[in-house]
Amino acid sequence: MTMQQLTRNQGLVFDVLTHSDGPLSAYSILDKLRDSGFRAPLQVYRALDKLLEFGLVHRLESMNAFVACAHPDEGCHAHGLTAFMICETCGDVVEFHDHMIENRLKDFARDRNFRTGKTTIEIRGTCAGCA
Amino acid sequence: MTMQQLTRNQGLVFDVLTHSDGPLSAYSILDKLRDSGFRAPLQVYRALDKLLEFGLVHRLESMNAFVACAHPDEGCHAHGLTAFMICETCGDVVEFHDHMIENRLKDFARDRNFRTGKTTIEIRGTCAGCA
DNA sequence: AATGAAAATGTAATGTTATTACATCAATTG
DNA sequence: CAATTGATGTAATAACATTACATTTTCATT
């Protein structure tokens, strides 16, 4: 799989997410990129849209935030369904993939003639270190 | 299981959701309750908080909207993990519960000493009728 | 190199979702 | 009845996201 060539804005946003400890909101990404010339939310959202499409970034629906993919080189889309374990105390996010769950949901949808688009799985809670 | 006694505002919000075809945003609930005296978003959010706590209402994280529980009489919390299949075309939402997935996620969390709070599972896509 | 289409960008304005802060009122209990 | 707790009313503001429109860049094709 060949690495997608990113535009300047896409690269900047991806960099910020890659170097971040945890997930970031679109507006905090914007703040971090003011010095690089970013002035408006749309610049961030547009870059994020592409990065999501490329599978380089994930959106955490339960917190309106974005996180770099755990294995961007392989193209996350190849791993099928992506799930997250999110610590509400330290903000740490663990990305994981489970074929059993993926198949189970796939079967459930197929049985009902439901065409599956994006699937969200997010476990909120407290991680071992914060317990 | 005894049915929770709702306050006036909670009852009004629950009613709106119960009689709605599909999920509603907090602000559309507010609009529907103007005639009943609602003036501010907080009145809706406060009622929703309680209804969520009672398990009478669910929040759909992937669309920032709220939906009445499919079986409010039994108290949804009793059913364990709740998942949703959401049609992006007609807005229809199917609530379901799967012990296999629930156990799988529970095991995953336990193995990592992660204390699980709320878990979100939402399948977006197109339902049979809209395909 | 010129050109034309598609993609990306810049900027302002606005729309949508959610919370903070503070005052008041109602229900419950000791 | 006093004290506490939970619920409510209202205004203001914060946080998240999109629409609209003008401009520029990229890149395949001539």
Side-chain angles (χ1 to χ4, degrees):
Chain A
M1 162 123 195
T2 147
M3 177 62 162
Q4 177 68 34
Q5 180 57 34
L6 302 181
T7 65
R8 169 180 161 80
N9 286 4
Q10 289 160 17
L12 287 167
V13 169
F14 182 60
D15 249 38
V16 165
L17 282 174
T18 299
H19 295 124
S20 167
D21 274 352
L24 296 173
S25 73
Y27 277 74
S28 41
I29 294 171
L30 174 57
D31 286 340
K32 288 180 188 299
L33 289 176
R34 298 258 182 221
D35 293 344
S36 306
F38 274 45
R39 331 274 353 234
L42 195 49
Q43 297 177 289
V44 176
Y45 283 111
R46 284 203 276 229
L48 285 172
D49 281 348
K50 284 300 179 182
L51 294 171
L52 290 167
E53 184 185 323
F54 300 152
L56 297 176
V57 161
H58 300 291
R59 178 190 172 85
L60 302 177
E61 302 289 351
S62 67
M63 53 191 300
N64 297 332
F66 302 85
V67 70
C69 177
H71 34 59
D73 298 336
E74 307 156 54
C76 194
H77 287 157
H79 291 79
L81 180 148
T82 303
F84 302 92
M85 211 167 56
I86 303 166
C87 177
E88 291 175 339
T89 301
C90 67
D92 201 51
V93 174
V94 174
E95 173 181 340
F96 65 100
H97 303 270
D98 186 301
H99 288 298
M100 166 108 75
I101 293 174
E102 181 175 2
N103 290 331
R104 186 89 176 165
L105 290 175
K106 195 175 296 178
D107 289 349
F108 185 89
R110 186 177 37 65
D111 290 350
R112 287 157 186 76
N113 291 313
F114 188 91
R115 194 162 55 77
T116 296
K118 191 200 174 195
T119 298
T120 298
I121 300 186
E122 297 177 16
I123 311 177
R124 314 275 310 233
T126 311
C127 75
C130 292
Chain B
M1 163 125 196
T2 150
M3 179 61 164
Q4 177 70 34
Q5 180 57 33
L6 301 181
T7 64
R8 168 178 161 81
N9 285 4
Q10 290 160 17
L12 287 168
V13 169
F14 183 59
D15 250 38
V16 165
L17 282 174
T18 299
H19 295 124
S20 167
D21 274 351
L24 296 173
S25 73
Y27 277 76
S28 40
I29 294 171
L30 174 58
D31 286 340
K32 288 180 189 298
L33 290 175
R34 298 258 181 221
D35 294 343
S36 305
F38 273 46
R39 328 272 359 227
L42 196 49
Q43 296 176 288
V44 176
Y45 283 111
R46 284 203 276 229
L48 284 172
D49 282 347
K50 284 300 179 183
L51 295 170
L52 289 166
E53 183 185 324
F54 300 152
L56 297 176
V57 161
H58 301 290
R59 178 189 171 85
L60 301 177
E61 302 289 351
S62 67
M63 53 191 301
N64 297 332
F66 303 85
V67 69
C69 178
H71 34 59
D73 299 336
E74 307 156 55
C76 194
H77 286 156
H79 290 79
L81 180 147
T82 302
F84 302 92
M85 210 168 54
I86 303 166
C87 177
E88 292 176 337
T89 301
C90 68
D92 201 52
V93 174
V94 173
E95 173 180 340
F96 64 101
H97 304 269
D98 186 300
H99 288 299
M100 165 109 73
I101 293 174
E102 180 175 3
N103 289 331
R104 185 88 177 164
L105 290 175
K106 194 175 297 179
D107 289 350
F108 185 89
R110 187 176 37 66
D111 289 350
R112 287 157 186 77
N113 291 312
F114 187 90
R115 195 162 54 78
T116 296
K118 190 199 175 194
T119 297
T120 298
I121 300 185
E122 298 177 16
I123 310 176
R124 312 277 310 235
T126 312
C127 76
C130 292

